[in-house]
Amino acid sequence: MPDPYSDNTDEELNTAKQVDLANVGALNRQQLTPEAATAPRGQDHPPTDTVDHHNESADEHAGHSHDGLDNGHGHDHGPAGEWPYLWPAVSLAMLLGGIALDYFDVPFFVGLVRPLWYGVAFLLVGWKVLRAAAVSLPTGNVFNEFLLMSLATLGAFAIGEYPEGVAVMLFYTVGELFQDAAVNRAKRSIRALLEIQATEVTVLRDGQRLVIDPKEVQLEDLMEVRPGEKVALDGTLVAGPASFNTAALTGESAPQTKQAGEMVLAGMINLDTLVQVSVTAAFADTKLSRILAMVQDAVGRKARTQQFITRFAKIYTPIVVLLAVVLVLVPLAVVDDYVFRDWLYRALVFLVISCPCALVISIPLGYFGGIGAASKNGILFKGSNFLDVLRAIDTVVMDKTGTLTEGVFAVREVVAAPGTEAAELLRLVGALETKSTHPIAKAVVQHAQPSATAIAAVESVEEIAGHGLRGQVAGRTLLAGNTKLLRKFDVTYPPEVDAVVDSIVVLALDGQYAGYLTVADAPKADAARAVQELRADGITKLVMLSGDKDSIVQRVAAELGITEAHGGLLPEDKARYVQQYLDEGRKLAFVGDGVNDAPVVALADVGIAMGGLGSDATIETADVVIQTDHPSKIATARRIARATHTVVWQNIWLAFIVKGVVLALGAGGLATMWEAVFADVGVALLAILNAVRIQRMKF
C-alpha cells in the first residue's frame, strides 16, 4: 500500500497498483534493512515488468501493493514510528469504549459527543486511507481499495452507523499491518542471501595493505582474507590448502578444502588460516553477484495464476462498484416501501466486500514464499512462473558429466603390459601428462603424484590433436593417448584394449605397447536417488544425453536406473532430441551444466542448471539453478512447486466462496458491515497465514 505520508504519494499511486512479486517484498536493498541499504552492490537490478524468454508477458496489473517503494516510506514505521500498532490499539480502545457507552446509555454520550468520539477513533486509523483516496482521484486511478474503503466507512458515518464505520477501517488497517508482517517474513531467507556480500576487502598493493570497497578492486589484485572473513570477490587461491564454509552459496554445511590454484568464490567464509587470493572477476561479475541478480529478477516474473487474478481484479472491482450503485437506485423504481438508508447500507456492505485484498496479496505472497523456500533449500527459481511450469512437467532430460556424475575424472585402474612395472609406468606417464591441460591429463597427474615430480627430464613434448602426447621422459620415448595414437606410430596392442568401456590412456614405451590407464567419472552420491524420486514423483520419461562415448553413457545409465540414454552427441544432437520430445507434446525439463548445454537449457520448457560447477552461460540461461549441484534437488524443487500451487489455489477458492456468499447476503440485506469486514479483511488474513505456511514446510 502506498504511504499517504509520503511527499510522492501521487507518484506512488501510479506504480503501487502493480500486483506482482516485485511489489510484494521486492528485493531492493533500501526496502530490506538499513544495513543492507548501505552495503555495496555490483549492479542494480530493479524489478521491472519483463517478458521472459518463454514469451510470458509481465503485464501491468491493478491491485494491491505492499512495498515501501524507493522513497523509503513503508508500513514498517507508520504514524506510530517504531510502534505501528499504537494508533490501532488506541482506536480499538475508543471503539470498545464507545460501544460500552452506547450499551449502558451513558447520559453524556449523546449529541455531538458521540460522533466526535467515534470520529477521532476513525481518523486515528483512517486518515491515511482518506488522504490516499483523495490523491488518487486526479490520477484516474479511481477503482482502488482506498476509495472503496473511504466511501463505505464515510457512508456508514453518514447514516449514523458510527461503530461499524470505525470497525471496518480499524480491521482494514490491522489487516494491512499483518500483511506487512507476512511479507517481511517471506523476505528473510532472501535478505540473508543479499547480506552475504562482503562490504570491504583487504588488498596488497606495493607492499601495503589497503582496506577498500570491493567495487574498487582490479583484476589480478591480491586479496588477503583472514580466518572468519568472507571472500569478497572470485579468485584463485595463491597457496593452500585452506578450508572454506560454502553454505551461503551451496547450502552445504560441510566445509570445502581448496588447494593452491583452485577457484574460491565470493560469499565463502575462510575458516582456519590467513590466505591470499588472486582476483579473477570484478565485483559485478562474481558468481555471487549474478546469483543476487537472478533472485532480484525472479520477483518480476509472474505466474499465469497471478496474471489471471490481477487481470480479473481490474474488471471485478468496477463491476461491483457499479452493482452497488444499481443496488441503491433500481429498488427506488420497483420497491413500494423503499427506504434509502436501508438500500444505501446494503450498497456500502457491497463496497467493503468488493476489495480484492485476499486475492491480490495472498497469491503473490504464496509464490514469493515458494521462491523463498526454494532458496533455503539451495534452489533458485528465476520467476514464479517457473514454479507452475516445473509442477506440470512429465519428462526430465539430463546431461551426464557434471550433472549426474561428479564431473571430475579420476584414474580407476593401472594395467601394465607383461614385463612392465605398474609403478614405473605410472611415474613416467604422470611426468609426461604434466605438460598437458586436458582434464584426463590432470587426473593422471593427480593420481601419479608425488612420484611424477621425481622426474625432471621431460623433453621434446608434442601434443597431437585428437590423439594424445609424445615425448622424451627420463631418456625414453613415451606415447600416451588413445588407440589412434598407437596406430599412428605403428604400435601394436592387444585387441581386448578396444573392448574397455571406460575412457583409457593407452601407453607405449620406445615403440612397444606398455599398458593402459582407465579414467572414469563417478556418479554423484545422490544420482540414483534422484532418478528414483523423480519416477516416484510422476515423471514418466527420464532420458540421459551426453557427448561422452556411448558405451560409457549406457553403463552409467544402467547403474542409475535410466532406461533411455544416448551418447556421442554434439550440442545440436542434444537439441534435436529435446525438440523431438517437445514435438510429441511433452512438458520437458532439461538439466545440464556445461557451456554446450546452454542452447538446450533455453529450448526446454524449464531449463535447470547445476550452479556449483556449472558454466556461467548455462546458469544465466537456465530458469532454475541448483546451487548444491545435487540432482536430487530436482525432485525437491518439484515438491516446492506443488506445495506452492496447492496453497495458491486454496486461497483463491477461499476468497471466491466467502466473498460470493457474503455478497449475496449483503444484496439481500442479510449481511451487515461486520460480515463484510470478515469477508474482506478476515479472509485476507486467513489466506496470508495459509501462504506463510510454505516457509515452514519441510521438503
Side-chain angles (χ1 to χ4, degrees), residues 553-615:
V553 172
Q554 298 302 331
R555 189 199 67 189
V556 173
E559 187 176 339
L560 298 180
I562 297 174
T563 55
E564 183 176 348
H566 305 279
L569 303 179
L570 297 172
E572 54 267 31
D573 298 324
K574 292 182 180 181
R576 178 170 49 82
Y577 273 108
V578 168
Q579 188 60 58
Q580 174 186 323
Y581 301 139
L582 292 172
D583 291 342
E584 292 172 1
R586 292 188 170 275
K587 294 292 184 181
L588 183 145
F590 182 87
V591 190
D593 74 312
V595 174
N596 61 341
D597 292 328
V600 199
V601 165
L603 182 63
D605 292 306
V606 180
I608 303 176
M610 292 293 168
L613 296 174
S615 74

Side-chain angles (χ1 to χ4, degrees), residues 295-370:
V295 177
Q296 288 178 297
D297 291 342
V299 300
R301 292 185 176 181
K302 308 169 194 65
R304 290 184 182 274
T305 309
Q306 288 174 263
Q307 295 180 30
F308 164 74
I309 289 299
T310 48
R311 285 196 296 267
F312 173 81
K314 292 176 69 174
I315 302 171
Y316 155 86
T317 304
I319 288 176
V320 174
V321 173
L322 179 61
L323 288 175
V325 174
V326 170
L327 196 58
V328 175
L329 299 180
V330 170
L332 181 62
V334 297
V335 176
D336 294 333
D337 56 346
Y338 177 82
V339 179
F340 175 75
R341 182 185 183 283
D342 293 343
W343 290 98
L344 176 60
Y345 184 82
R346 297 183 187 188
L348 296 176
V349 171
F350 235 66
L351 289 178
V352 174
I353 300 169
S354 69
C355 287
C357 298
L359 293 174
V360 299
I361 284 299
S362 64
I363 291 170
L365 183 60
Y367 281 107
F368 193 77

Side-chain angles (χ1 to χ4, degrees), residues 452-524:
T453 60
I455 298 179
V458 180
E459 302 172 338
S460 305
V461 178
E462 178 185 2
E463 184 159 2
I464 302 171
H467 292 71
L469 294 177
R470 180 190 185 194
Q472 298 291 320
V473 183
R476 305 184 69 178
T477 301
L478 177 62
L479 299 176
N482 53 32
T483 54
K484 290 188 294 183
L485 178 67
L486 269 61
R487 290 196 294 270
K488 178 179 177 66
F489 288 95
D490 298 321
V491 177
T492 58
Y493 58 89
E496 58 265 24
V497 173
D498 287 324
V500 176
V501 173
D502 287 327
S503 297
I504 62 173
V505 179
V506 189
L507 307 170
L509 276 172
D510 297 326
Q512 299 295 318
Y513 168 74
Y516 65 85
L517 285 69
T518 63
V519 181
D521 180 16
K524 292 181 178 179

Side-chain angles (χ1 to χ4, degrees), residues 14-25:
N14 288 329
T15 59
K17 296 290 119 180
Q18 300 172 11
V19 182
D20 62 90
L21 294 179
N23 288 334
V24 184

Side-chain angles (χ1 to χ4, degrees), residues 85 161 191-192 264 300 326 360 378 417 432 435 547 586 685:
Y85 291 94
E161 299 291 346
R191 178 191 302 156
V264 176
V326 170
V360 299
L432 179 64
K435 305 302 180 182
R586 292 188 170 275
L685 291 179

Side-chain angles (χ1 to χ4, degrees), residues 239-317:
S243 296
F244 295 87
N245 181 335
T246 65
L249 291 173
T250 67
E252 292 296 302
S253 56
Q256 290 187 11
T257 300
K258 299 289 185 180
Q259 304 293 334
E262 290 191 327
M263 180 64 69
V264 176
L265 299 177
M268 293 181 175
I269 299 175
N270 181 22
L271 293 178
D272 51 16
T273 184
L274 181 70
V275 298
Q276 294 180 352
V277 178
S278 178
V279 176
T280 59
F283 184 82
D285 299 324
T286 63
K287 182 164 286 192
L288 177 59
S289 293
R290 286 194 295 270
I291 288 173
L292 301 186
M294 290 176 203
V295 177
Q296 288 178 297
D297 291 342
V299 300
R301 292 185 176 181
K302 308 169 194 65
R304 290 184 182 274
T305 309
Q306 288 174 263
Q307 295 180 30
F308 164 74
I309 289 299
T310 48
R311 285 196 296 267
F312 173 81
K314 292 176 69 174
I315 302 171
Y316 155 86
T317 304

